[in-house]
Amino acid sequence: IAGITQAPTSQILAAGRRMTLRCTQDMRHNAMYWYRQDLGLGLRLIHYSNTAGTTGKGEVPDGYSVSRANTDDFPLTLASAVPSQTSVYFCASSEVTSSYNEQFFGPGTRLTVL
Amino acid sequence: GQNIDQPTEMTATEGAIVQINCTYQTSGFNGLFWYQQHAGEAPTFLSYNVLDGLEEKGRFSSFLSRSKGYSYLLLKELQMKDSASYLCAASDSNYQLIWGAGTKLIIKP
């Protein structure tokens, strides 16, 4: 069982380029999330999806877009990358029940925008 | 607004006990999570509290006081492998996790 996979593991990108970070889960969780993690700032939510076909904006959505065409996949797209988007990106999933929403994380993508 | 506060860094000695505190303010509350994150790795789940009191799991325990908006993670018999960041996260009324910035725990021999 893989859990959550992310690709690529790391990427160096020129500013202005378009980039899609991939995330796939095999746990059939209903909810999925994209976070960025920067030193001293902790995890910040970019976008989330509570179920296939729906998405929502998190704390820092500007410059990012997502789609949730099916349960397993939740790609994150940077339409035109800027240096401030240099970060470590984590995808997570959870099965949200009445009160419990433990999140499971992928291994992360380290992105550098030059 | 929603806010989670925890110390930035703590140092402890191998074999000792350390307590990492966390205070939270959220719109609604559906529980408090603690995660461990080793450098360069993803966060992994440690504990969950939704009722007041202490939850014990081996060398790790977590405490919650809902009335005070306060939690702590207690690590006993510290080992070098416990050197990591510990993330506190509160679940709000929409079941979103609000994350603290993390506490980096340094273990010295």
Side-chain angles (χ1 to χ4, degrees):
Chain A
I1 297 176
I4 300 181
T5 58
Q6 293 184 235
T9 302
S10 65
Q11 182 76 45
I12 298 174
L13 190 65
R17 297 297 295 268
R18 181 183 179 89
M19 175 76 192
T20 295
L21 308 185
R22 300 184 297 279
C23 174
T24 300
Q25 54 116 349
D26 63 4
M27 297 175 282
R28 308 301 292 173
H29 285 166
N30 52 12
M32 297 187 74
Y33 313 85
W34 274 106
Y35 292 95
R36 59 177 291 173
Q37 188 175 39
D38 303 289
L39 197 63
L41 293 179
L43 290 164
R44 291 185 291 169
L45 183 65
I46 304 170
H47 285 286
Y48 65 94
S49 169
N50 287 331
T51 188
T54 69
T55 62
K57 294 181 179 180
E59 180 187 354
V60 288
D62 294 343
Y64 306 95
S65 63
V66 292
S67 61
R68 185 90 183 276
N70 56 59
T71 297
D72 299 342
D73 300 300
F74 191 44
L76 177 73
T77 297
L78 289 67
S80 179
V82 295
S84 61
Q85 292 178 311
T86 293
S87 187
V88 179
Y89 291 85
F90 287 104
C91 179
S93 72
S94 68
E95 185 63 27
V96 181
T97 61
S98 60
S99 65
Y100 186 72
N101 58 330
E102 176 189 347
Q103 294 184 10
F104 297 80
F105 286 80
T109 294
R110 186 173 297 274
L111 181 67
T112 303
V113 182
L114 301 176
Chain B
Q2 306 199 102
N3 191 53
I4 307 285
D5 283 320
Q6 53 181 129
T8 302
E9 186 175 296
M10 299 182 70
T11 302
T13 303
E14 189 176 17
I17 299 172
V18 70
Q19 178 175 310
I20 303 174
N21 296 325
C22 170
T23 59
Y24 64 88
Q25 283 183 301
T26 56
S27 301
F29 180 74
N30 283 303
L32 195 291
F33 290 84
W34 285 96
Y35 279 74
Q36 180 188 58
Q37 186 177 25
H38 285 101
E41 298 182 6
T44 55
F45 171 80
L46 281 179
S47 69
Y48 172 73
N49 296 67
V50 66
L51 300 176
D52 286 355
L54 189 68
E55 294 279 344
E56 297 186 80
K57 192 185 296 185
R59 293 189 300 113
F60 292 8
S61 302
S62 56
F63 172 84
L64 176 68
S65 169
R66 294 177 66 128
S67 62
K68 295 182 179 179
Y70 168 70
S71 173
Y72 68 72
L73 180 69
L74 191 71
L75 292 75
K76 303 176 185 176
E77 302 169 14
L78 286 169
Q79 302 175 9
M80 297 304 294
K81 68 178 182 180
D82 297 330
S83 293
S85 288
Y86 291 87
L87 313 181
C88 173
S91 180
D92 71 7
S93 58
N94 295 317
Y95 304 106
Q96 298 287 354
L97 294 189
I98 311 303
W99 295 86
T103 298
K104 182 178 181 180
L105 179 62
I106 300 168
I107 310 294
K108 296 186 174 180

